[in-house]
Amino acid sequence: MHVFVTGGTGLIGSAVVAELLGHGHTVLSLARSEASAQVAEAAGAEPLRGALADPDILRAGAAQADGVIHLAFANDFSSAEAVAKAVAEESAAIAAIGEELIGSDRPFVTVSGTPWVPGRASTEADPPPTDGPVGGRGLAVTAALGLASRGVRSTAVRLPRTVHNQGTGGFAGLLTDIARRSGVSGYPGDGAQRWPAVHALDAAVLFRLALERAPAGSSWHAVADEGDQVRDIAAVIGRRLGLPVESVPAETYGPLGPIFAADQPSSGAHTRQALGWEPKHPRLLEDLENIQP
C-alpha cells in the first residue's frame, strides 16, 4: 500500500514508517517543516509539506493514498488551554481525513489512549474515555470508528500511558524531564497506581497489522506491560539520575495531574490473540536503564 502517515517523524511515527517500509509499503509523510521533510526523506518516505491544522493538505494526502495512519498530536501539556487546543486541532484533522475516505473501503488507523476502568485492567471492549483533559480525543476516535458504516475501514490503536524507546517517551519520559528540572524523581500519591507501557518498535508492528488486516470499527490495545507501579518507574529514574525518590503533589503535573494519579492498568490479550501481535522488545523498567545522568 501507499500509506499517508501523520506524525511520521516522532518517536512512534518514525518506528511506524520504518515498519511499513520494511514490509513493502511506501509512505507519504506529513512534514510541517523543512527539517521534518528532510527526516522523512532520509527515512525513505516521501514528504508532504503541511501542518495538522491544514485540512486541505490532509485531504490531499488521504486522496492519493491506499490507507492512512494518523499519529500526529501537539503534545503540549503546559496548560489546560494548550491541551484543549491540541485536542481540538487533532479532532478537526481526523474529521477531515475521514471525510476524504468515505466510500473508499480504505483503511484509516487512528490513535487514542487505553481507557481506565476502576478495579480492573481495561480491555479492547471498553469504550474510550470521553471526559477529562483529553476526553475530546476519545470523541474524535469514536466518530472515526463510526465511519465503518460509511465505507471506511476505520480502526483505532489505543496506546498506553508510556510508549518508550531507549529510555525516553511517554508519561515515564515526562517524569524523567520533571525530575531533571526539579531535582526530585517524584510520583503522585503513594505511587501504587499502575501505568501500562509498550516499546515503540512493538507498537509500530501493531499499527501495521491494523492497517493490513483489522476489520472496520475495531479497537486494539498496544499493551506490553499491563501496569508498572509509578513508584517503581520513579525509582529507576531516580537511580539513573542520582536523585531522591519521593511522593509529590499531583498538582506538580499540571493538567495531567488527575491522569498521573489514576490507577489505569490495561490488557492487550485480545489484540495478541486476534491479530497475532507479540511484543518482543524490552519492557519499560528495563528500557529506563538507558536513561543517561
PDB file of all heavy atoms in Angstrom, residues 119-152:
ATOM      1  N   GLY A 119     -10.886  -0.790  39.293  1.00  0.00           N
ATOM      2  CA  GLY A 119     -10.834  -2.127  39.849  1.00  0.00           C
ATOM      3  C   GLY A 119     -10.316  -3.224  38.954  1.00  0.00           C
ATOM      4  O   GLY A 119     -10.163  -4.366  39.399  1.00  0.00           O
ATOM      5  N   ARG A 120     -10.025  -2.916  37.690  1.00  0.00           N
ATOM      6  CA  ARG A 120      -9.510  -3.959  36.798  1.00  0.00           C
ATOM      7  C   ARG A 120      -8.767  -3.350  35.620  1.00  0.00           C
ATOM      8  O   ARG A 120      -8.843  -2.140  35.378  1.00  0.00           O
ATOM      9  CB  ARG A 120     -10.651  -4.843  36.279  1.00  0.00           C
ATOM     10  CG  ARG A 120     -11.643  -4.127  35.366  1.00  0.00           C
ATOM     11  CD  ARG A 120     -12.578  -5.114  34.684  1.00  0.00           C
ATOM     12  NE  ARG A 120     -13.647  -4.471  33.927  1.00  0.00           N
ATOM     13  CZ  ARG A 120     -13.531  -4.012  32.689  1.00  0.00           C
ATOM     14  NH1 ARG A 120     -12.359  -4.088  32.061  1.00  0.00           N
ATOM     15  NH2 ARG A 120     -14.565  -3.460  32.066  1.00  0.00           N
ATOM     16  N   ALA A 121      -8.059  -4.221  34.907  1.00  0.00           N
ATOM     17  CA  ALA A 121      -7.381  -3.784  33.687  1.00  0.00           C
ATOM     18  C   ALA A 121      -8.408  -3.565  32.581  1.00  0.00           C
ATOM     19  O   ALA A 121      -9.310  -4.386  32.383  1.00  0.00           O
ATOM     20  CB  ALA A 121      -6.360  -4.832  33.252  1.00  0.00           C
ATOM     21  N   SER A 122      -8.280  -2.457  31.869  1.00  0.00           N
ATOM     22  CA  SER A 122      -9.193  -2.202  30.754  1.00  0.00           C
ATOM     23  C   SER A 122      -8.897  -3.149  29.609  1.00  0.00           C
ATOM     24  O   SER A 122      -7.791  -3.672  29.467  1.00  0.00           O
ATOM     25  CB  SER A 122      -9.067  -0.752  30.282  1.00  0.00           C
ATOM     26  OG  SER A 122      -7.777  -0.509  29.734  1.00  0.00           O
ATOM     27  N   THR A 123      -9.899  -3.386  28.775  1.00  0.00           N
ATOM     28  CA  THR A 123      -9.757  -4.263  27.615  1.00  0.00           C
ATOM     29  C   THR A 123     -10.213  -3.530  26.361  1.00  0.00           C
ATOM     30  O   THR A 123     -10.773  -2.434  26.421  1.00  0.00           O
ATOM     31  CB  THR A 123     -10.594  -5.544  27.769  1.00  0.00           C
ATOM     32  OG1 THR A 123     -11.990  -5.222  27.612  1.00  0.00           O
ATOM     33  CG2 THR A 123     -10.368  -6.200  29.123  1.00  0.00           C
ATOM     34  N   GLU A 124     -10.021  -4.178  25.241  1.00  0.00           N
ATOM     35  CA  GLU A 124     -10.401  -3.604  23.952  1.00  0.00           C
ATOM     36  C   GLU A 124     -11.907  -3.373  23.858  1.00  0.00           C
ATOM     37  O   GLU A 124     -12.368  -2.551  23.055  1.00  0.00           O
ATOM     38  CB  GLU A 124      -9.951  -4.533  22.820  1.00  0.00           C
ATOM     39  CG  GLU A 124      -8.447  -4.689  22.673  1.00  0.00           C
ATOM     40  CD  GLU A 124      -7.853  -5.766  23.561  1.00  0.00           C
ATOM     41  OE1 GLU A 124      -8.556  -6.262  24.482  1.00  0.00           O
ATOM     42  OE2 GLU A 124      -6.684  -6.134  23.343  1.00  0.00           O
ATOM     43  N   ALA A 125     -12.683  -4.082  24.670  1.00  0.00           N
ATOM     44  CA  ALA A 125     -14.141  -3.940  24.626  1.00  0.00           C
ATOM     45  C   ALA A 125     -14.637  -2.714  25.383  1.00  0.00           C
ATOM     46  O   ALA A 125     -15.791  -2.309  25.217  1.00  0.00           O
ATOM     47  CB  ALA A 125     -14.799  -5.196  25.197  1.00  0.00           C
ATOM     48  N   ASP A 126     -13.787  -2.117  26.216  1.00  0.00           N
ATOM     49  CA  ASP A 126     -14.196  -0.934  26.973  1.00  0.00           C
ATOM     50  C   ASP A 126     -14.200   0.295  26.075  1.00  0.00           C
ATOM     51  O   ASP A 126     -13.326   0.451  25.216  1.00  0.00           O
ATOM     52  CB  ASP A 126     -13.247  -0.707  28.151  1.00  0.00           C
ATOM     53  CG  ASP A 126     -13.372  -1.783  29.212  1.00  0.00           C
ATOM     54  OD1 ASP A 126     -14.512  -2.091  29.588  1.00  0.00           O
ATOM     55  OD2 ASP A 126     -12.329  -2.312  29.639  1.00  0.00           O
ATOM     56  N   PRO A 127     -15.163   1.199  26.263  1.00  0.00           N
ATOM     57  CA  PRO A 127     -15.200   2.412  25.439  1.00  0.00           C
ATOM     58  C   PRO A 127     -14.062   3.343  25.794  1.00  0.00           C
ATOM     59  O   PRO A 127     -13.554   3.325  26.919  1.00  0.00           O
ATOM     60  CB  PRO A 127     -16.556   3.031  25.796  1.00  0.00           C
ATOM     61  CG  PRO A 127     -16.841   2.544  27.184  1.00  0.00           C
ATOM     62  CD  PRO A 127     -16.271   1.154  27.244  1.00  0.00           C
ATOM     63  N   PRO A 128     -13.645   4.177  24.847  1.00  0.00           N
ATOM     64  CA  PRO A 128     -12.578   5.146  25.138  1.00  0.00           C
ATOM     65  C   PRO A 128     -13.087   6.223  26.075  1.00  0.00           C
ATOM     66  O   PRO A 128     -14.290   6.524  26.101  1.00  0.00           O
ATOM     67  CB  PRO A 128     -12.240   5.721  23.761  1.00  0.00           C
ATOM     68  CG  PRO A 128     -13.519   5.593  22.993  1.00  0.00           C
ATOM     69  CD  PRO A 128     -14.145   4.311  23.468  1.00  0.00           C
ATOM     70  N   PRO A 129     -12.207   6.814  26.872  1.00  0.00           N
ATOM     71  CA  PRO A 129     -12.632   7.904  27.752  1.00  0.00           C
ATOM     72  C   PRO A 129     -13.030   9.127  26.943  1.00  0.00           C
ATOM     73  O   PRO A 129     -12.369   9.488  25.970  1.00  0.00           O
ATOM     74  CB  PRO A 129     -11.384   8.182  28.598  1.00  0.00           C
ATOM     75  CG  PRO A 129     -10.238   7.698  27.764  1.00  0.00           C
ATOM     76  CD  PRO A 129     -10.765   6.528  26.981  1.00  0.00           C
ATOM     77  N   THR A 130     -14.129   9.746  27.344  1.00  0.00           N
ATOM     78  CA  THR A 130     -14.606  10.941  26.639  1.00  0.00           C
ATOM     79  C   THR A 130     -14.741  12.132  27.578  1.00  0.00           C
ATOM     80  O   THR A 130     -15.332  13.147  27.212  1.00  0.00           O
ATOM     81  CB  THR A 130     -15.953  10.665  25.951  1.00  0.00           C
ATOM     82  OG1 THR A 130     -16.889  10.177  26.924  1.00  0.00           O
ATOM     83  CG2 THR A 130     -15.799   9.624  24.843  1.00  0.00           C
ATOM     84  N   ASP A 131     -14.178  12.007  28.784  1.00  0.00           N
ATOM     85  CA  ASP A 131     -14.159  13.138  29.697  1.00  0.00           C
ATOM     86  C   ASP A 131     -12.723  13.362  30.160  1.00  0.00           C
ATOM     87  O   ASP A 131     -11.810  12.656  29.749  1.00  0.00           O
ATOM     88  CB  ASP A 131     -15.094  12.904  30.897  1.00  0.00           C
ATOM     89  CG  ASP A 131     -14.767  11.603  31.633  1.00  0.00           C
ATOM     90  OD1 ASP A 131     -13.773  10.930  31.275  1.00  0.00           O
ATOM     91  OD2 ASP A 131     -15.504  11.251  32.569  1.00  0.00           O
ATOM     92  N   GLY A 132     -12.518  14.361  30.981  1.00  0.00           N
ATOM     93  CA  GLY A 132     -11.171  14.668  31.437  1.00  0.00           C
ATOM     94  C   GLY A 132     -10.418  15.540  30.445  1.00  0.00           C
ATOM     95  O   GLY A 132     -10.961  15.929  29.393  1.00  0.00           O
ATOM     96  N   PRO A 133      -9.139  15.833  30.727  1.00  0.00           N
ATOM     97  CA  PRO A 133      -8.362  16.774  29.908  1.00  0.00           C
ATOM     98  C   PRO A 133      -8.239  16.375  28.443  1.00  0.00           C
ATOM     99  O   PRO A 133      -8.156  17.244  27.572  1.00  0.00           O
ATOM    100  CB  PRO A 133      -6.990  16.786  30.600  1.00  0.00           C
ATOM    101  CG  PRO A 133      -7.247  16.328  32.000  1.00  0.00           C
ATOM    102  CD  PRO A 133      -8.378  15.362  31.908  1.00  0.00           C
ATOM    103  N   VAL A 134      -8.172  15.077  28.163  1.00  0.00           N
ATOM    104  CA  VAL A 134      -8.002  14.647  26.768  1.00  0.00           C
ATOM    105  C   VAL A 134      -9.203  13.824  26.293  1.00  0.00           C
ATOM    106  O   VAL A 134      -9.108  13.050  25.341  1.00  0.00           O
ATOM    107  CB  VAL A 134      -6.691  13.845  26.586  1.00  0.00           C
ATOM    108  CG1 VAL A 134      -5.490  14.742  26.797  1.00  0.00           C
ATOM    109  CG2 VAL A 134      -6.634  12.652  27.531  1.00  0.00           C
ATOM    110  N   GLY A 135     -10.347  14.012  26.948  1.00  0.00           N
ATOM    111  CA  GLY A 135     -11.541  13.269  26.567  1.00  0.00           C
ATOM    112  C   GLY A 135     -11.980  13.518  25.138  1.00  0.00           C
ATOM    113  O   GLY A 135     -12.588  12.646  24.506  1.00  0.00           O
ATOM    114  N   GLY A 136     -11.649  14.695  24.612  1.00  0.00           N
ATOM    115  CA  GLY A 136     -12.013  15.005  23.229  1.00  0.00           C
ATOM    116  C   GLY A 136     -11.380  14.059  22.229  1.00  0.00           C
ATOM    117  O   GLY A 136     -11.929  13.827  21.145  1.00  0.00           O
ATOM    118  N   ARG A 137     -10.229  13.497  22.571  1.00  0.00           N
ATOM    119  CA  ARG A 137      -9.590  12.538  21.673  1.00  0.00           C
ATOM    120  C   ARG A 137     -10.463  11.292  21.537  1.00  0.00           C
ATOM    121  O   ARG A 137     -10.594  10.727  20.443  1.00  0.00           O
ATOM    122  CB  ARG A 137      -8.209  12.140  22.193  1.00  0.00           C
ATOM    123  CG  ARG A 137      -7.230  13.273  22.339  1.00  0.00           C
ATOM    124  CD  ARG A 137      -5.813  12.774  22.575  1.00  0.00           C
ATOM    125  NE  ARG A 137      -5.190  12.321  21.344  1.00  0.00           N
ATOM    126  CZ  ARG A 137      -3.980  11.785  21.275  1.00  0.00           C
ATOM    127  NH1 ARG A 137      -3.275  11.603  22.393  1.00  0.00           N
ATOM    128  NH2 ARG A 137      -3.466  11.409  20.123  1.00  0.00           N
ATOM    129  N   GLY A 138     -11.065  10.866  22.649  1.00  0.00           N
ATOM    130  CA  GLY A 138     -11.952   9.716  22.602  1.00  0.00           C
ATOM    131  C   GLY A 138     -13.173   9.980  21.740  1.00  0.00           C
ATOM    132  O   GLY A 138     -13.618   9.107  20.991  1.00  0.00           O
ATOM    133  N   LEU A 139     -13.706  11.182  21.814  1.00  0.00           N
ATOM    134  CA  LEU A 139     -14.862  11.543  20.982  1.00  0.00           C
ATOM    135  C   LEU A 139     -14.495  11.521  19.503  1.00  0.00           C
ATOM    136  O   LEU A 139     -15.264  11.025  18.664  1.00  0.00           O
ATOM    137  CB  LEU A 139     -15.372  12.927  21.384  1.00  0.00           C
ATOM    138  CG  LEU A 139     -16.011  13.041  22.764  1.00  0.00           C
ATOM    139  CD1 LEU A 139     -16.261  14.505  23.106  1.00  0.00           C
ATOM    140  CD2 LEU A 139     -17.317  12.250  22.820  1.00  0.00           C
ATOM    141  N   ALA A 140     -13.322  12.068  19.164  1.00  0.00           N
ATOM    142  CA  ALA A 140     -12.897  12.127  17.767  1.00  0.00           C
ATOM    143  C   ALA A 140     -12.668  10.728  17.202  1.00  0.00           C
ATOM    144  O   ALA A 140     -13.058  10.428  16.061  1.00  0.00           O
ATOM    145  CB  ALA A 140     -11.630  12.965  17.635  1.00  0.00           C
ATOM    146  N   VAL A 141     -12.035   9.855  17.988  1.00  0.00           N
ATOM    147  CA  VAL A 141     -11.771   8.500  17.522  1.00  0.00           C
ATOM    148  C   VAL A 141     -13.066   7.709  17.413  1.00  0.00           C
ATOM    149  O   VAL A 141     -13.245   6.921  16.472  1.00  0.00           O
ATOM    150  CB  VAL A 141     -10.765   7.800  18.460  1.00  0.00           C
ATOM    151  CG1 VAL A 141     -10.676   6.314  18.150  1.00  0.00           C
ATOM    152  CG2 VAL A 141      -9.399   8.448  18.305  1.00  0.00           C
ATOM    153  N   THR A 142     -13.998   7.909  18.342  1.00  0.00           N
ATOM    154  CA  THR A 142     -15.294   7.240  18.262  1.00  0.00           C
ATOM    155  C   THR A 142     -16.018   7.635  16.977  1.00  0.00           C
ATOM    156  O   THR A 142     -16.626   6.792  16.303  1.00  0.00           O
ATOM    157  CB  THR A 142     -16.152   7.592  19.483  1.00  0.00           C
ATOM    158  OG1 THR A 142     -15.503   7.122  20.668  1.00  0.00           O
ATOM    159  CG2 THR A 142     -17.524   6.947  19.387  1.00  0.00           C
ATOM    160  N   ALA A 143     -15.937   8.918  16.624  1.00  0.00           N
ATOM    161  CA  ALA A 143     -16.560   9.376  15.375  1.00  0.00           C
ATOM    162  C   ALA A 143     -15.890   8.726  14.166  1.00  0.00           C
ATOM    163  O   ALA A 143     -16.554   8.339  13.202  1.00  0.00           O
ATOM    164  CB  ALA A 143     -16.472  10.901  15.278  1.00  0.00           C
ATOM    165  N   ALA A 144     -14.553   8.578  14.225  1.00  0.00           N
ATOM    166  CA  ALA A 144     -13.838   7.936  13.118  1.00  0.00           C
ATOM    167  C   ALA A 144     -14.246   6.477  12.987  1.00  0.00           C
ATOM    168  O   ALA A 144     -14.448   5.974  11.875  1.00  0.00           O
ATOM    169  CB  ALA A 144     -12.330   8.056  13.332  1.00  0.00           C
ATOM    170  N   LEU A 145     -14.375   5.787  14.103  1.00  0.00           N
ATOM    171  CA  LEU A 145     -14.801   4.386  14.046  1.00  0.00           C
ATOM    172  C   LEU A 145     -16.215   4.269  13.485  1.00  0.00           C
ATOM    173  O   LEU A 145     -16.557   3.279  12.828  1.00  0.00           O
ATOM    174  CB  LEU A 145     -14.739   3.759  15.446  1.00  0.00           C
ATOM    175  CG  LEU A 145     -13.342   3.578  16.046  1.00  0.00           C
ATOM    176  CD1 LEU A 145     -13.437   3.046  17.468  1.00  0.00           C
ATOM    177  CD2 LEU A 145     -12.501   2.638  15.187  1.00  0.00           C
ATOM    178  N   GLY A 146     -17.024   5.288  13.720  1.00  0.00           N
ATOM    179  CA  GLY A 146     -18.382   5.291  13.180  1.00  0.00           C
ATOM    180  C   GLY A 146     -18.425   5.351  11.668  1.00  0.00           C
ATOM    181  O   GLY A 146     -19.448   5.005  11.051  1.00  0.00           O
ATOM    182  N   LEU A 147     -17.308   5.765  11.049  1.00  0.00           N
ATOM    183  CA  LEU A 147     -17.250   5.804   9.587  1.00  0.00           C
ATOM    184  C   LEU A 147     -17.216   4.403   8.978  1.00  0.00           C
ATOM    185  O   LEU A 147     -17.286   4.253   7.754  1.00  0.00           O
ATOM    186  CB  LEU A 147     -16.019   6.593   9.134  1.00  0.00           C
ATOM    187  CG  LEU A 147     -16.013   8.083   9.494  1.00  0.00           C
ATOM    188  CD1 LEU A 147     -14.682   8.710   9.097  1.00  0.00           C
ATOM    189  CD2 LEU A 147     -17.169   8.806   8.830  1.00  0.00           C
ATOM    190  N   ALA A 148     -17.125   3.374   9.809  1.00  0.00           N
ATOM    191  CA  ALA A 148     -17.174   1.998   9.311  1.00  0.00           C
ATOM    192  C   ALA A 148     -18.475   1.729   8.573  1.00  0.00           C
ATOM    193  O   ALA A 148     -18.528   0.925   7.631  1.00  0.00           O
ATOM    194  CB  ALA A 148     -17.015   1.018  10.472  1.00  0.00           C
ATOM    195  N   SER A 149     -19.529   2.427   8.966  1.00  0.00           N
ATOM    196  CA  SER A 149     -20.826   2.249   8.293  1.00  0.00           C
ATOM    197  C   SER A 149     -20.934   3.078   7.019  1.00  0.00           C
ATOM    198  O   SER A 149     -21.943   2.990   6.300  1.00  0.00           O
ATOM    199  CB  SER A 149     -21.960   2.639   9.246  1.00  0.00           C
ATOM    200  OG  SER A 149     -21.891   4.022   9.574  1.00  0.00           O
ATOM    201  N   ARG A 150     -19.878   3.855   6.718  1.00  0.00           N
ATOM    202  CA  ARG A 150     -19.895   4.723   5.542  1.00  0.00           C
ATOM    203  C   ARG A 150     -18.747   4.400   4.589  1.00  0.00           C
ATOM    204  O   ARG A 150     -18.292   5.247   3.837  1.00  0.00           O
ATOM    205  CB  ARG A 150     -19.848   6.186   5.964  1.00  0.00           C
ATOM    206  CG  ARG A 150     -20.982   6.590   6.901  1.00  0.00           C
ATOM    207  CD  ARG A 150     -20.914   8.049   7.276  1.00  0.00           C
ATOM    208  NE  ARG A 150     -21.153   8.917   6.125  1.00  0.00           N
ATOM    209  CZ  ARG A 150     -20.990  10.236   6.136  1.00  0.00           C
ATOM    210  NH1 ARG A 150     -20.547  10.835   7.234  1.00  0.00           N
ATOM    211  NH2 ARG A 150     -21.226  10.952   5.057  1.00  0.00           N
ATOM    212  N   GLY A 151     -18.306   3.149   4.614  1.00  0.00           N
ATOM    213  CA  GLY A 151     -17.310   2.719   3.645  1.00  0.00           C
ATOM    214  C   GLY A 151     -15.887   3.088   3.971  1.00  0.00           C
ATOM    215  O   GLY A 151     -15.069   3.298   3.064  1.00  0.00           O
ATOM    216  N   VAL A 152     -15.551   3.173   5.261  1.00  0.00           N
ATOM    217  CA  VAL A 152     -14.169   3.400   5.676  1.00  0.00           C
ATOM    218  C   VAL A 152     -13.767   2.245   6.601  1.00  0.00           C
ATOM    219  O   VAL A 152     -14.491   1.938   7.545  1.00  0.00           O
ATOM    220  CB  VAL A 152     -13.994   4.741   6.427  1.00  0.00           C
ATOM    221  CG1 VAL A 152     -12.527   4.944   6.809  1.00  0.00           C
ATOM    222  CG2 VAL A 152     -14.489   5.905   5.582  1.00  0.00           C
TER     223      VAL A 152
END
